[in-house]
């Protein structure tokens, strides 16, 4: 099997479309179809069922999919290991980050990195933290800088860099704003606007309320914290937001409850050979670690 055919197979399998795979690979659709046909001839099995305009993996395709990923990751790993022998910091670095971290935490680091290592081509992806986790596990991402999971996969090396305190907030004219010190059950009498139900941040918040025997009255949710800030500021509900977003048009509530923190940091796959470009980025992230993040295991999550 040649790697080009495997790359075409993965692109079609993951996008669910020959045309979208062709766009991703900067090829024509007939060229992608030819690579798939070559691969099917080599393994003597059909990889996709083509029904109408849709495609789906055959049983052979489902068996090959994880192995194809492993083969390509091993090939990339070998290239990086050989490239590292030169000692230069160059080539491509595939890094993912969440929108909030990318806007509020990473810019100074990225600026310093690109100035120090101008020969590195930075392939930056803005993804939900949960999607970035999976990308590092799958081998499609070299580094992710995201909200950290409460229980990370043991295959990953996970390092806290910052710790966000989440503040309870509402609009200045919201009924809760006129109240003094509140307890959690009083919040549950009003609608909340919170991160999506499958996010790590939402999980932290739900765990706190569940421990108190309470169920969150979520009216609206989105994974974009800046959008949550907007929805909170116009009175659609109370929310929990990082301190960096609590300013100006929001009122921070005083809650009789220990603060909720969420760790932010980087993760890499333990079995992956990191490029010199990746190692240089990790050095910057290590230098940026806050004191609270260095003792993150004891942070009250």
């Amino acid at each position: 099997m040649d790697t080009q055919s495997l790359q075409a197979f993965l692109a079609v399998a993951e996008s669910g479309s020959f045309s979208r795979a062709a766009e991703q690979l900067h090829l024509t659709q007939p060229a992608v179809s030819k690579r798939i046909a070559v691969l099917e001839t080599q393994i003597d099995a059909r990889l996709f069922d083509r029904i109408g305009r849709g495609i789906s993996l055959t049983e052979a395709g489902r068996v090959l999919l994880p192995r194809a990923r492993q083969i390509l990751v091993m090939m990339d790993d070998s290239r990086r290991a050989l490239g590292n022998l030169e000692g230069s910091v160059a080539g491509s670095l595939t890094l993912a980050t969440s929108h909030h971290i990318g806007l509020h935490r990473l810019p100074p680091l990225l600026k310093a990195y690109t100035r120090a290592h101008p020969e590195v081509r930075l392939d930056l992806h803005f993804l939900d933290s949960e999607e970035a986790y999976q990308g590092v596990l799958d081998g499609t991402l070299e580094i992710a800088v995201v909200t950290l999971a409460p229980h990370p996969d043991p295959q990953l090396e996970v390092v806290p860099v910052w710790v966000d305190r989440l503040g309870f907030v509402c609009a200045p004219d919201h009924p809760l704003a006129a109240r003094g010190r509140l307890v959690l059950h009083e919040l549950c009498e009003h609608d909340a606007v919170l991160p999506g139900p499958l996010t790590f941040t939402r999980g932290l918040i739900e765990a706190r309320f569940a421990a108190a025997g309470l169920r969150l009255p979520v009216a609206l949710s989105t994974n974009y914290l800046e959008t949550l800030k907007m929805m909170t500021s116009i009175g659609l509900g109370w929310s929990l937001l990082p301190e960096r977003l609590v300013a100006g048009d929001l009122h921070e509530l005083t809650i009789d409850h220990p603060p909720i923190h969420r760790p932010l940091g980087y993760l890499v796959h333990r079995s992956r050979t990191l490029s010199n470009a990746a190692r240089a980025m990790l050095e910057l992230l290590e230098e940026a670690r806050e004191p609270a993040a260095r003792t993150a295991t004891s942070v009250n999550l």
Side-chain angles (χ1 to χ4, degrees):
M1 300 181 204
D2 65 274
T3 57
Q4 290 184 337
S5 294
L6 288 174
Q7 287 170 342
F9 167 67
L10 275 182
V12 174
E14 292 172 352
S15 68
S17 164
F18 277 78
S19 59
R20 286 194 291 270
E23 291 174 6
Q24 292 174 15
L25 297 172
H26 306 290
L27 297 170
T28 63
Q29 188 170 330
V32 171
S33 297
K34 183 177 180 181
R35 291 185 181 184
I36 298 297
V38 168
L39 187 55
E40 289 178 328
T41 300
Q42 289 174 334
I43 64 173
D44 193 24
R46 191 169 59 187
L47 295 170
F48 296 100
D49 284 327
R50 300 161 179 82
I51 302 173
R53 294 186 177 183
I55 64 167
S56 60
L57 286 167
T58 63
E59 183 177 359
R62 289 192 294 272
V63 170
L64 179 61
L65 185 59
R67 291 166 173 79
R69 288 196 181 107
Q70 291 171 359
I71 291 169
L72 292 176
V73 167
M74 288 175 63
M75 290 295 295
D76 286 341
D77 205 49
S78 299
R79 292 191 190 100
R80 279 190 295 273
L82 293 170
N84 287 350
L85 296 176
E86 299 177 3
S88 62
V89 181
S92 177
L93 172 61
T94 306
L95 181 147
T97 187
S98 65
H99 289 80
H100 178 71
I101 295 174
L103 289 173
H104 299 281
R105 298 285 191 174
L106 269 189
L109 292 179
L110 294 178
K111 183 177 181 180
Y113 183 86
T114 53
R115 285 185 173 180
H117 308 293
E119 295 184 3
V120 174
R121 183 178 66 83
L122 194 60
D123 184 12
L124 185 61
H125 298 253
F126 285 89
L127 302 172
D128 289 343
S129 297
E130 301 73 25
E131 186 179 356
Y133 254 83
Q134 193 58 49
V136 175
L137 278 170
D138 292 342
T140 57
L141 299 170
E142 197 164 2
I143 304 174
V145 185
V146 292
T147 302
L148 303 182
H151 306 289
D153 191 293
Q155 297 178 81
L156 300 177
E157 180 182 355
V158 178
V159 179
V161 177
W162 309 280
V163 176
D164 267 349
R165 182 183 72 83
L166 300 179
F168 289 86
V169 293
C170 66
D173 57 354
H174 190 281
L176 288 171
R179 308 274 290 273
R181 196 171 187 86
L182 298 163
V183 292
L184 290 185
H185 75 82
E186 291 177 286
L187 291 176
C188 293
E189 298 169 3
H190 300 266
D191 286 343
V193 290
L194 295 173
L198 300 180
T199 61
F200 299 145
T201 302
R202 175 71 168 269
L204 290 173
I205 298 168
E206 286 184 337
R208 282 297 186 87
F209 278 78
L214 299 171
R215 185 172 180 178
L216 284 164
V218 181
L220 296 166
S221 63
T222 175
N223 292 359
Y224 299 103
L225 297 184
E226 283 72 16
T227 305
L228 278 181
K229 179 179 179 178
M230 178 276 294
M231 293 194 297
T232 305
S233 70
I234 62 175
L236 297 182
W238 60 269
S239 189
L240 280 120
L241 292 172
E243 285 180 294
R244 287 172 175 250
L245 291 183
V246 180
D249 46 359
L250 292 178
H251 171 81
E252 184 164 7
L253 299 165
T254 302
I255 307 297
D256 189 13
H257 190 80
I260 298 177
H261 296 90
R262 63 171 193 165
L264 314 174
Y266 70 82
L267 49 137
V268 294
H269 202 293
R270 294 183 185 277
S271 299
R272 183 166 189 161
T273 300
L274 295 177
S275 63
N276 289 338
R279 293 180 187 279
M281 176 61 75
L282 296 190
E283 288 175 5
L284 278 179
L285 287 165
E286 284 290 335
E287 291 172 5
R289 293 183 72 192
E290 296 175 343
R294 295 182 184 277
T295 58
T297 53
S298 63
V299 170
N300 184 13
L301 299 176

